[in-house]
Amino acid sequence: MSERIEDIAVAMVAPGKGLLAADESTATIGKRFETIGLESTETSRRDYREMLFRANEGMSHISGVILYEETLFQKAADGTPLVDLIRAAGAVPGIKVDTGAKPMAHFADETVTEGLDGLAGRLAKYYEAGARFAKWRGVLAVSDVLPSAGAVRANAHALARYAALCQEAGIVPMIEPEVLMDGTPGDHSIERSQDVTEYVLRVTFEELAAQRINLEGMILKPSMVIDGKKARKASVDEVAERTVRVLKNTVPASVPGITFLSGGQSTEEATAHLSAMNADYDLPWPLTFSYGRALQTEGLTAWGGKPENVAAGQRAFAHRAKMCGLAAKGGWKIELEKAA
Ligand code: 13P
């Protein structure tokens, strides 16, 4: 594998492939496991992720995997480092490096993402362990008055500082400014989502420029332009059209690729939206997925925490990864879901 960050970024958006976001914090994976009645322990978290990384068919659609720190240093049941399983599947190992969105002083109901202190030292350790890209998520809540200019600027600045540290460490930064679709109140219109997303991306790229970020050595991980989860009525075509318009207005063509988060969309919604954008628009960058929930939910449910269901879990994950891979080329169709 090449070690130039520009080449790693291009490999992360290889045609028909996308990223598996398996970087749930210990608290978040605990909530996911609750849905299948499984206790979250170091071993159950390892078993679940090992099941995914050993799913050869599913992994053939995956260009990179985002890990939580615990997983980066974990070994499979037979002693193989999980990072080696990911590499053997032809995917790039990545690492979530922020330490979470924390209440922002003076800004009620808003957060700023933390994790810059000591980050240079942590990045060196992660590089040593095999990570070649990183993720940092800024979170912007939407209402009639939110997000505030102060919260947008603070989160964008933190993303840019993080990106600079990553690039100096030889690690590709994924820049994730998430405009929430399922936050509180969660009933905003798609027009409001469009305005907010465009503003957030503009400020983000201003801050990236101010911190001298090499745009060819980064990946953008945005949310789609979509109405709030409690008011969902926009068509697939409208989500695709508005999302593409915002990206064209804000993202320089030198960015190697854009990988969406799913943010609480159903698996099929997230697949359909991505496919529509790739099918209907001529764009300067590859658009693909970096889904957590939308890529994992079916596999997690089919596995159910039972060793005898590993193959069933892998089959369900492979189906979704294949559908998302088709969507990354604009070739997904609803009939393919029914045929499965
Ligand atoms: P979702 O696709 O579940 O939103 O997760 C992606 C991610 O990495 C969020 O930070």
Side-chain angles (χ1 to χ4, degrees):
M1 196 187 301
S2 162
E3 294 294 305
R4 290 176 68 240
I5 56 171
E6 294 87 345
D7 296 333
I8 297 165
V10 168
M12 288 166 66
V13 291
K17 292 194 181 190
L19 295 132
L20 167 61
D23 60 322
E24 299 85 3
S25 64
T26 305
T28 302
I29 198 72
K31 283 190 223 146
R32 305 279 185 264
F33 282 5
E34 268 172 33
T35 66
I36 57 165
L38 178 66
E39 193 192 344
S40 173
T41 64
E42 213 178 308
T43 308
S44 65
R45 294 191 289 272
R46 190 275 312 275
D47 289 346
Y48 173 59
R49 286 158 173 158
E50 179 174 351
M51 185 238 348
L52 295 175
F53 307 157
R54 285 194 192 274
N56 293 336
E57 207 187 317
M59 289 297 288
S60 71
H61 308 284
I62 301 298
S63 55
V65 182
I66 318 175
L67 303 171
Y68 190 59
E69 189 183 67
E70 174 185 84
T71 321
L72 183 69
F73 297 100
Q74 252 174 345
K75 291 189 167 64
D78 69 0
T80 312
L82 293 182
V83 167
D84 288 353
L85 298 183
I86 294 168
R87 286 205 202 97
V92 185
I95 174 84
K96 166 197 170 78
V97 303
D98 67 68
T99 54
K102 304 287 160 57
M104 183 162 157
H106 289 184
F107 292 79
D109 303 324
E110 298 197 279
T111 60
V112 63
T113 299
E114 295 188 350
L116 289 171
D117 289 357
L119 181 55
R122 285 197 288 133
L123 287 168
K125 200 173 71 167
Y126 299 150
Y127 185 95
E128 188 67 30
R132 289 296 177 273
F133 74 95
K135 177 191 114 169
W136 177 293
R137 173 175 172 258
V139 184
L140 289 314
V142 184
S143 72
D144 290 346
V145 292
L146 300 180
S148 66
V152 171
R153 182 65 63 183
N155 278 288
H157 183 73
L159 275 165
R161 294 274 315 282
Y162 138 83
L165 289 163
C166 286
Q167 291 190 333
E168 273 203 354
I171 288 180
V172 175
M174 291 185 99
I175 307 289
E176 182 178 358
E178 177 172 7
V179 176
L180 288 179
M181 57 190 86
D182 67 352
T184 313
D187 58 359
H188 55 276
S189 66
I190 193 166
E191 290 83 0
R192 179 81 184 130
S193 171
Q194 182 171 349
D195 287 349
V196 169
T197 307
E198 180 150 341
Y199 171 57
V200 166
L201 289 175
R202 269 191 208 296
V203 174
T204 301
F205 279 97
E206 276 172 27
E207 291 289 337
L208 293 176
Q211 298 303 320
R212 305 178 173 171
I213 299 311
N214 168 9
L215 297 183
E216 294 179 42
M218 64 160 273
I219 293 288
L220 179 68
K221 175 164 174 166
S223 39
M224 294 181 194
V225 173
I226 190 164
D227 35 8
K229 210 167 181 188
K230 294 197 193 111
R232 185 66 44 80
K233 58 179 188 294
S235 67
V236 170
D237 288 344
E238 185 173 12
V239 170
E241 200 248 318
R242 290 182 186 270
T243 303
V244 162
R245 183 173 304 163
V246 165
L247 295 174
K248 280 188 164 176
N249 276 334
T250 55
V251 185
S254 51
V255 170
I258 298 178
T259 68
F260 292 102
L261 60 93
S262 61
Q265 299 180 57
S266 73
T267 51
E268 252 178 63
E269 278 177 324
T271 315
H273 290 145
L274 177 63
S275 196
M277 286 184 243
N278 280 308
D280 299 340
Y281 298 91
D282 190 17
L283 301 164
W285 350 255
L287 295 187
T288 188
F289 57 92
S290 175
Y291 295 161
R293 284 161 286 180
L295 205 48
Q296 290 185 51
T297 304
E298 293 142 307
L300 176 68
T301 307
W303 174 62
K306 302 198 172 70
E308 64 272 26
N309 290 344
V310 163
Q314 290 177 329
R315 263 197 311 279
F317 166 59
H319 169 70
R320 182 52 43 201
K322 183 177 172 192
M323 295 296 111
C324 288
L326 287 169
K329 296 198 274 194
W332 173 86
K333 299 216 165 25
I334 186 80
E335 300 80 61
L336 296 168
E337 297 284 351
K338 305 223 165 82

